[in-house]
Amino acid sequence: MVKQERAARTRRSLILAAAEVFAEEGFVSASLTAISRRAGVSNGALHFHFDSKNALAGGVEEEAARRVRRLSVAGPDCPTALQLLVDSTHALMRGLDDDVVVRAGFELSGDISRVAGVDLRSEWRSWIETVLQRAAAQGALADGVSHDDAASAILAATVGFQVLGSRGDKDWISRRTLTGFWELMLPRLAARDALDTVVTCGSRCVVGAPGMPVEEPV
């Protein structure tokens, strides 16, 4: 049991260190030696857990996907699917700002120099479409709105904000920027009755929102 706990701690340290190095240097420039040094382990220990840099990047993507899924879990007070969607995009932007694993996971998913493990962008789009389908079932979408087209637009906006924010201008992933996007988007997306109920700047709808309980990362 002690060995298993130590191995789990080492794996977590390697994923965090790899995320930091990948976010700072990019996948191609990052070295396994720099990652193992930052994690405080030997190269041998790194290779025990991950047999290649691509495998280690895959580990970062898997952990990033797990954390993003957590950011999109509805809390007990979440009133509608549209509010869940708005709040989850705000939670994602905060994650990109605050959590280097989430940030590195999205950057790795868009890196054409490697074969992606978890396609975080596709998974995020699939989740958006599922929530929009739920909103349609609640009668919350405007007449004529395709949840498929809406999902594509929201994906393009959020991933675009992520890419622009990764270049050093964090205003792109700010609450103000995302609120402005929703103020433009929702009048076209939401039915009139539903529009009046959505808080565009975010509420406490999701587990990852401030003030809501959040499980500790594994």
Side-chain angles (χ1 to χ4, degrees):
M1 183 62 70
V2 172
K3 288 183 178 180
Q4 290 176 344
E5 291 174 354
R6 185 163 57 243
R9 284 197 302 270
T10 299
R11 183 182 176 86
R12 287 196 296 268
S13 296
L14 284 167
I15 287 175
L16 177 59
E20 291 172 348
V21 175
F22 289 144
E24 292 169 6
E25 302 181 12
F27 175 75
V28 172
S29 298
S31 73
L32 293 179
T33 298
I35 292 169
S36 61
R37 185 183 301 120
R38 186 168 302 201
V41 303
S42 66
N43 282 334
L46 185 153
H47 284 287
F48 175 80
H49 290 277
F50 301 99
D51 60 10
S52 67
K53 184 165 69 169
N54 197 61
L56 183 51
V60 172
E61 285 179 319
E62 289 173 4
E63 176 60 16
R66 192 191 68 81
R67 296 186 186 195
V68 170
R69 292 180 201 122
R70 188 185 66 206
L71 292 175
S72 55
V73 174
D77 300 322
C78 192
T80 66
L82 280 181
Q83 191 65 62
L84 173 61
L85 178 60
V86 169
D87 282 21
S88 293
T89 59
H90 278 286
L92 176 62
M93 293 301 114
R94 287 195 301 273
L96 290 168
D97 189 20
D98 299 339
D99 189 335
V100 70
V101 174
V102 173
R103 186 161 62 251
F106 267 93
E107 291 175 8
L108 287 166
S109 290
D111 192 327
I112 62 174
S113 66
R114 58 178 294 273
V115 178
V118 177
D119 189 340
L120 200 52
R121 293 178 177 181
S122 292
E123 185 169 311
W124 175 239
R125 187 199 187 284
S126 179
W127 180 86
I128 292 169
E129 186 168 2
T130 297
V131 176
L132 286 169
Q133 289 172 342
R134 196 182 312 164
Q138 294 174 347
L141 297 188
D143 291 341
V145 170
S146 160
H147 53 71
D148 183 67
D149 290 344
S152 296
I154 295 166
L155 174 73
T158 51
V159 171
F161 294 154
Q162 174 261 315
V163 171
L164 291 166
S166 70
R167 297 178 179 177
D169 186 355
K170 288 191 174 184
D171 188 56
W172 285 107
I173 56 174
S174 69
R175 184 180 186 185
R176 181 186 64 81
T177 296
L178 190 58
T179 298
F181 164 75
W182 281 119
E183 287 174 350
L184 287 170
M185 181 72 169
L186 279 171
R188 176 67 181 89
L189 178 68
R192 184 177 299 275
D193 291 344
L195 182 61
D196 294 336
T197 69
V198 181
V199 181
T200 57
C201 62
S203 66
R204 295 179 57 185
C205 189
V206 298
V207 172
M212 296 297 290
V214 178
E215 62 178 289
E216 288 300 316
V218 173

